[in-house]
mmCIF file with all atom_site columns, all heavy atoms in Angstrom:
data_model
loop_
_atom_site.group_PDB
_atom_site.id
_atom_site.type_symbol
_atom_site.label_atom_id
_atom_site.label_alt_id
_atom_site.label_comp_id
_atom_site.label_asym_id
_atom_site.label_entity_id
_atom_site.label_seq_id
_atom_site.pdbx_PDB_ins_code
_atom_site.Cartn_x
_atom_site.Cartn_y
_atom_site.Cartn_z
_atom_site.occupancy
_atom_site.B_iso_or_equiv
_atom_site.pdbx_formal_charge
_atom_site.auth_seq_id
_atom_site.auth_comp_id
_atom_site.auth_asym_id
_atom_site.auth_atom_id
_atom_site.pdbx_PDB_model_num
ATOM 1  N N   . SER C 1 84 ? -18.767 30.817 4.230  1.00 0.00 ? 84 SER C N   1
ATOM 2  C CA  . SER C 1 84 ? -17.992 29.574 4.265  1.00 0.00 ? 84 SER C CA  1
ATOM 3  C C   . SER C 1 84 ? -17.690 29.150 2.812  1.00 0.00 ? 84 SER C C   1
ATOM 4  O O   . SER C 1 84 ? -18.166 28.113 2.354  1.00 0.00 ? 84 SER C O   1
ATOM 5  C CB  . SER C 1 84 ? -18.787 28.480 4.977  1.00 0.00 ? 84 SER C CB  1
ATOM 6  O OG  . SER C 1 84 ? -20.072 28.329 4.384  1.00 0.00 ? 84 SER C OG  1
ATOM 7  N N   . PRO C 1 85 ? -16.932 29.958 2.134  1.00 0.00 ? 85 PRO C N   1
ATOM 8  C CA  . PRO C 1 85 ? -16.769 29.772 0.668  1.00 0.00 ? 85 PRO C CA  1
ATOM 9  C C   . PRO C 1 85 ? -16.170 28.424 0.297  1.00 0.00 ? 85 PRO C C   1
ATOM 10 O O   . PRO C 1 85 ? -16.465 27.905 -0.765 1.00 0.00 ? 85 PRO C O   1
ATOM 11 C CB  . PRO C 1 85 ? -15.842 30.927 0.266  1.00 0.00 ? 85 PRO C CB  1
ATOM 12 C CG  . PRO C 1 85 ? -15.214 31.385 1.531  1.00 0.00 ? 85 PRO C CG  1
ATOM 13 C CD  . PRO C 1 85 ? -16.183 31.129 2.621  1.00 0.00 ? 85 PRO C CD  1
ATOM 14 N N   . LEU C 1 86 ? -15.308 27.870 1.145  1.00 0.00 ? 86 LEU C N   1
ATOM 15 C CA  . LEU C 1 86 ? -14.664 26.606 0.748  1.00 0.00 ? 86 LEU C CA  1
ATOM 16 C C   . LEU C 1 86 ? -15.110 25.434 1.642  1.00 0.00 ? 86 LEU C C   1
ATOM 17 O O   . LEU C 1 86 ? -14.395 24.449 1.799  1.00 0.00 ? 86 LEU C O   1
ATOM 18 C CB  . LEU C 1 86 ? -13.142 26.773 0.796  1.00 0.00 ? 86 LEU C CB  1
ATOM 19 C CG  . LEU C 1 86 ? -12.562 27.589 -0.351 1.00 0.00 ? 86 LEU C CG  1
ATOM 20 C CD1 . LEU C 1 86 ? -11.107 27.935 -0.124 1.00 0.00 ? 86 LEU C CD1 1
ATOM 21 C CD2 . LEU C 1 86 ? -12.705 26.846 -1.696 1.00 0.00 ? 86 LEU C CD2 1
ATOM 22 N N   . ARG C 1 87 ? -16.299 25.556 2.246  1.00 0.00 ? 87 ARG C N   1
ATOM 23 C CA  . ARG C 1 87 ? -16.756 24.533 3.165  1.00 0.00 ? 87 ARG C CA  1
ATOM 24 C C   . ARG C 1 87 ? -16.803 23.143 2.509  1.00 0.00 ? 87 ARG C C   1
ATOM 25 O O   . ARG C 1 87 ? -16.288 22.166 3.045  1.00 0.00 ? 87 ARG C O   1
ATOM 26 C CB  . ARG C 1 87 ? -18.143 24.898 3.731  1.00 0.00 ? 87 ARG C CB  1
ATOM 27 C CG  . ARG C 1 87 ? -18.666 23.936 4.786  1.00 0.00 ? 87 ARG C CG  1
ATOM 28 C CD  . ARG C 1 87 ? -20.008 24.416 5.317  1.00 0.00 ? 87 ARG C CD  1
ATOM 29 N NE  . ARG C 1 87 ? -21.018 24.453 4.285  1.00 0.00 ? 87 ARG C NE  1
ATOM 30 C CZ  . ARG C 1 87 ? -21.791 23.406 3.920  1.00 0.00 ? 87 ARG C CZ  1
ATOM 31 N NH1 . ARG C 1 87 ? -21.639 22.251 4.531  1.00 0.00 ? 87 ARG C NH1 1
ATOM 32 N NH2 . ARG C 1 87 ? -22.677 23.514 2.961  1.00 0.00 ? 87 ARG C NH2 1
ATOM 33 N N   . LYS C 1 88 ? -17.421 23.071 1.330  1.00 0.00 ? 88 LYS C N   1
ATOM 34 C CA  . LYS C 1 88 ? -17.542 21.763 0.673  1.00 0.00 ? 88 LYS C CA  1
ATOM 35 C C   . LYS C 1 88 ? -16.178 21.250 0.220  1.00 0.00 ? 88 LYS C C   1
ATOM 36 O O   . LYS C 1 88 ? -15.908 20.069 0.316  1.00 0.00 ? 88 LYS C O   1
ATOM 37 C CB  . LYS C 1 88 ? -18.490 21.887 -0.528 1.00 0.00 ? 88 LYS C CB  1
ATOM 38 C CG  . LYS C 1 88 ? -19.923 22.063 -0.132 1.00 0.00 ? 88 LYS C CG  1
ATOM 39 C CD  . LYS C 1 88 ? -20.790 22.192 -1.388 1.00 0.00 ? 88 LYS C CD  1
ATOM 40 C CE  . LYS C 1 88 ? -22.210 22.571 -1.032 1.00 0.00 ? 88 LYS C CE  1
ATOM 41 N NZ  . LYS C 1 88 ? -23.011 22.864 -2.241 1.00 0.00 ? 88 LYS C NZ  1
ATOM 42 N N   . TYR C 1 89 ? -15.363 22.136 -0.294 1.00 0.00 ? 89 TYR C N   1
ATOM 43 C CA  . TYR C 1 89 ? -14.012 21.727 -0.699 1.00 0.00 ? 89 TYR C CA  1
ATOM 44 C C   . TYR C 1 89 ? -13.273 21.123 0.499  1.00 0.00 ? 89 TYR C C   1
ATOM 45 O O   . TYR C 1 89 ? -12.678 20.054 0.379  1.00 0.00 ? 89 TYR C O   1
ATOM 46 C CB  . TYR C 1 89 ? -13.258 22.940 -1.265 1.00 0.00 ? 89 TYR C CB  1
ATOM 47 C CG  . TYR C 1 89 ? -11.792 22.647 -1.598 1.00 0.00 ? 89 TYR C CG  1
ATOM 48 C CD1 . TYR C 1 89 ? -11.433 22.192 -2.877 1.00 0.00 ? 89 TYR C CD1 1
ATOM 49 C CD2 . TYR C 1 89 ? -10.785 22.808 -0.664 1.00 0.00 ? 89 TYR C CD2 1
ATOM 50 C CE1 . TYR C 1 89 ? -10.126 21.906 -3.178 1.00 0.00 ? 89 TYR C CE1 1
ATOM 51 C CE2 . TYR C 1 89 ? -9.455  22.527 -0.952 1.00 0.00 ? 89 TYR C CE2 1
ATOM 52 C CZ  . TYR C 1 89 ? -9.137  22.083 -2.230 1.00 0.00 ? 89 TYR C CZ  1
ATOM 53 O OH  . TYR C 1 89 ? -7.817  21.797 -2.535 1.00 0.00 ? 89 TYR C OH  1
ATOM 54 N N   . ARG C 1 90 ? -13.353 21.806 1.623  1.00 0.00 ? 90 ARG C N   1
ATOM 55 C CA  . ARG C 1 90 ? -12.604 21.345 2.802  1.00 0.00 ? 90 ARG C CA  1
ATOM 56 C C   . ARG C 1 90 ? -13.184 20.031 3.349  1.00 0.00 ? 90 ARG C C   1
ATOM 57 O O   . ARG C 1 90 ? -12.469 19.227 3.887  1.00 0.00 ? 90 ARG C O   1
ATOM 58 C CB  . ARG C 1 90 ? -12.603 22.425 3.880  1.00 0.00 ? 90 ARG C CB  1
ATOM 59 C CG  . ARG C 1 90 ? -11.863 23.667 3.433  1.00 0.00 ? 90 ARG C CG  1
ATOM 60 C CD  . ARG C 1 90 ? -11.903 24.745 4.488  1.00 0.00 ? 90 ARG C CD  1
ATOM 61 N NE  . ARG C 1 90 ? -10.967 24.431 5.565  1.00 0.00 ? 90 ARG C NE  1
ATOM 62 C CZ  . ARG C 1 90 ? -10.369 25.339 6.299  1.00 0.00 ? 90 ARG C CZ  1
ATOM 63 N NH1 . ARG C 1 90 ? -10.583 26.609 6.070  1.00 0.00 ? 90 ARG C NH1 1
ATOM 64 N NH2 . ARG C 1 90 ? -9.573  25.015 7.255  1.00 0.00 ? 90 ARG C NH2 1
ATOM 65 N N   . ARG C 1 91 ? -14.493 19.925 3.237  1.00 0.00 ? 91 ARG C N   1
ATOM 66 C CA  . ARG C 1 91 ? -15.142 18.707 3.800  1.00 0.00 ? 91 ARG C CA  1
ATOM 67 C C   . ARG C 1 91 ? -14.926 17.492 2.884  1.00 0.00 ? 91 ARG C C   1
ATOM 68 O O   . ARG C 1 91 ? -14.662 16.403 3.359  1.00 0.00 ? 91 ARG C O   1
ATOM 69 C CB  . ARG C 1 91 ? -16.640 18.963 3.962  1.00 0.00 ? 91 ARG C CB  1
ATOM 70 C CG  . ARG C 1 91 ? -17.417 17.800 4.511  1.00 0.00 ? 91 ARG C CG  1
ATOM 71 C CD  . ARG C 1 91 ? -18.809 18.217 4.982  1.00 0.00 ? 91 ARG C CD  1
ATOM 72 N NE  . ARG C 1 91 ? -19.573 18.901 3.954  1.00 0.00 ? 91 ARG C NE  1
ATOM 73 C CZ  . ARG C 1 91 ? -20.304 18.286 3.018  1.00 0.00 ? 91 ARG C CZ  1
ATOM 74 N NH1 . ARG C 1 91 ? -20.362 16.977 2.990  1.00 0.00 ? 91 ARG C NH1 1
ATOM 75 N NH2 . ARG C 1 91 ? -20.969 18.975 2.110  1.00 0.00 ? 91 ARG C NH2 1
ATOM 76 N N   . ILE C 1 92 ? -14.977 17.694 1.577  1.00 0.00 ? 92 ILE C N   1
ATOM 77 C CA  . ILE C 1 92 ? -14.976 16.534 0.658  1.00 0.00 ? 92 ILE C CA  1
ATOM 78 C C   . ILE C 1 92 ? -13.609 16.287 0.026  1.00 0.00 ? 92 ILE C C   1
ATOM 79 O O   . ILE C 1 92 ? -13.177 15.151 -0.138 1.00 0.00 ? 92 ILE C O   1
ATOM 80 C CB  . ILE C 1 92 ? -16.044 16.752 -0.434 1.00 0.00 ? 92 ILE C CB  1
ATOM 81 C CG1 . ILE C 1 92 ? -17.433 16.874 0.182  1.00 0.00 ? 92 ILE C CG1 1
ATOM 82 C CG2 . ILE C 1 92 ? -16.011 15.595 -1.463 1.00 0.00 ? 92 ILE C CG2 1
ATOM 83 C CD1 . ILE C 1 92 ? -18.521 17.290 -0.776 1.00 0.00 ? 92 ILE C CD1 1
ATOM 84 N N   . VAL C 1 93 ? -12.860 17.349 -0.297 1.00 0.00 ? 93 VAL C N   1
ATOM 85 C CA  . VAL C 1 93 ? -11.578 17.145 -0.990 1.00 0.00 ? 93 VAL C CA  1
ATOM 86 C C   . VAL C 1 93 ? -10.448 17.077 0.037  1.00 0.00 ? 93 VAL C C   1
ATOM 87 O O   . VAL C 1 93 ? -9.775  16.066 0.164  1.00 0.00 ? 93 VAL C O   1
ATOM 88 C CB  . VAL C 1 93 ? -11.335 18.277 -2.009 1.00 0.00 ? 93 VAL C CB  1
ATOM 89 C CG1 . VAL C 1 93 ? -9.966  18.098 -2.672 1.00 0.00 ? 93 VAL C CG1 1
ATOM 90 C CG2 . VAL C 1 93 ? -12.429 18.270 -3.078 1.00 0.00 ? 93 VAL C CG2 1
#
Side-chain angles (χ1 to χ4, degrees):
S84 54
L86 286 170
R87 184 177 63 87
K88 289 178 187 172
Y89 174 90
R90 296 179 75 151
R91 180 166 54 85
I92 300 171
V93 178

